[in-house]
Amino acid sequence: MLKDFYSLNILEKQDTENYLCTLTLNPQHPIFEGHFPNNPITPGVCMMQIIKNLTEEITGYKLFLAKTTNVKFMALINPITHPVLQLTLAIQYKDANIQVKNTTSFDETVALKLTNLYKILS
């Protein structure tokens, strides 16, 4: 869905549940032409898709977003001024579901915090 939107630089397992990811946004991606011209801001839905993509890569499962809670967009992510993002993912298996607690930041700024519950499809 986000072809060429970002590149994954680092995906590190910290311990049994925690992962650290670093990625670089592509400020030339066409999404930023419409969101917003001359003032690009990373859409929240794109950040949620990135978190899902990373969780699928880590777990090896195809996932369906079943529930999102505690979503806090705390800072705008401008891909020109802050293209490098750090994401922490705390992944827990709950029955046939996977819960992910995420914090996304750039530099010392926390931009996003959320908890997602994914249904395992395959």
Side-chain angles (χ1 to χ4, degrees):
M1 281 183 78
L2 297 178
K3 184 174 171 28
D4 301 323
F5 186 73
Y6 68 96
S7 56
L8 182 59
N9 305 328
I10 297 171
L11 174 54
E12 264 180 15
K13 184 174 186 174
Q14 303 291 297
D15 57 39
T16 56
E17 296 180 353
N18 296 292
Y19 295 81
L20 175 65
C21 307
T22 302
L23 59 87
T24 302
L25 297 172
N26 174 8
Q28 304 306 315
H29 194 276
I31 284 176
F32 295 116
E33 293 173 12
H35 203 270
F36 297 94
N38 302 317
N39 187 23
I41 303 298
T42 306
V45 69
C46 292
M47 290 307 305
M48 293 180 73
Q49 184 65 42
I50 289 170
I51 294 163
K52 178 178 177 270
N53 292 354
L54 293 171
T55 305
E56 287 179 333
E57 184 169 336
I58 290 166
T59 64
Y61 290 113
K62 182 82 176 143
L63 303 172
F64 174 80
L65 178 61
K67 184 177 181 182
T68 299
T69 57
N70 302 321
V71 180
K72 296 178 184 160
F73 291 98
M74 303 164 79
L76 298 174
I77 302 172
N78 181 317
I80 295 171
T81 58
H82 300 290
V84 178
L85 303 178
Q86 295 81 36
L87 292 87
T88 60
L89 303 172
I91 298 175
Q92 295 182 333
Y93 291 84
K94 304 213 177 230
D95 300 320
N97 299 307
I98 295 175
Q99 176 182 284
V100 178
K101 292 183 180 180
N102 165 258
T103 301
T104 300
S105 59
F106 55 85
D107 300 331
E108 300 298 317
T109 302
V110 174
L112 169 63
K113 285 187 175 187
L114 61 75
T115 302
N116 284 343
L117 185 68
Y118 298 103
K119 181 179 177 182
I120 298 173
L121 298 178
S122 61

